[in-house]
């Protein structure tokens, strides 16, 4: 069963987490620089 969250915000984007070094990144628009963001995982990670 999935948890349900309510988040107040300004914009929503859909993307994919990309591997980088020992971690991973989520790319967002450049005009979001300096903004506070929240990331919500909506599927199970792939075991590559």
């Amino acid at each position: 069963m999935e948890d349900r969250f309510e988040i107040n915000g300004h914009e929503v984007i859909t993307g994919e987490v990309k591997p980088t070094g020992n971690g991973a990144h989520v790319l967002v628009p450049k005009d979001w620089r300096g903004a506070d963001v929240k990331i919500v995982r909506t599927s199970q990670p792939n075991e590559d």
Side-chain angles (χ1 to χ4, degrees):
M1 177 177 229
E2 293 182 358
D3 292 328
R4 183 176 173 91
F5 298 94
E6 183 174 323
I7 300 172
N8 296 322
H10 299 276
E11 294 179 70
V12 174
I13 61 169
T14 301
E16 184 178 341
V17 180
K18 305 287 185 175
T20 180
N22 291 332
H25 285 183
V26 176
L27 296 177
V28 299
K30 286 183 179 180
D31 61 336
W32 287 23
R33 286 181 288 188
D36 294 328
V37 299
K38 295 179 187 212
I39 307 297
V40 177
R41 182 171 52 88
T42 59
S43 67
Q44 293 296 326
N46 295 332
E47 296 294 330
D48 293 338

